[in-house]
Amino acid sequence: MERLTAAGALLVALVVLGASSAVDTELSGVFQEMVKSECHFINGTDRVKFVKRFIYNREQYVHFDSDVGLYVGDTPYGEKVARYWNSNPEWMEYRRDAVDRHCRHNYELSTPFLMERRVPPSVSISL
């Protein structure tokens, strides 16, 4: 109860001092950069697709797709980034090898743990 009273007092103080409500104004100075790597396995490791997504403030601007073998720009800025990365043969070779280095390697490590530990399902019925 004491924390609730303190939070209420703080809110009243902010309103009295003229702090604007966050509901009406857009927050500024908060940026988010996210890189997401995905491995898509079709029939074990026979068919593997690697996708690496680059996201800025919830908008994907460029991604690499191993089926395409190149970076693809999803925004005008992403197109510039894709052209720059695609122009570096060593970097592209490294990225293309991610299917083996990242996906297949982790599949081999994880499969015994994930697949061989299956427990038969059990069902309990009660009134």
Side-chain angles (χ1 to χ4, degrees), residues 32-75:
Q32 181 184 40
E33 176 82 28
M34 184 169 75
V35 180
K36 183 177 179 183
S37 298
E38 303 170 7
C39 295
H40 301 261
F41 299 98
I42 298 115
N43 195 17
T45 57
D46 290 343
R47 174 84 177 85
V48 181
K49 177 179 178 177
F50 174 74
V51 179
K52 187 160 189 151
R53 303 174 188 281
F54 296 81
I55 301 158
Y56 181 75
N57 282 352
R58 292 187 249 161
E59 181 180 25
Q60 179 174 304
Y61 63 94
V62 68
H63 71 276
F64 176 83
D65 184 336
S66 65
D67 286 350
V68 176
L70 296 171
Y71 283 93
V72 178
D74 300 306
T75 66

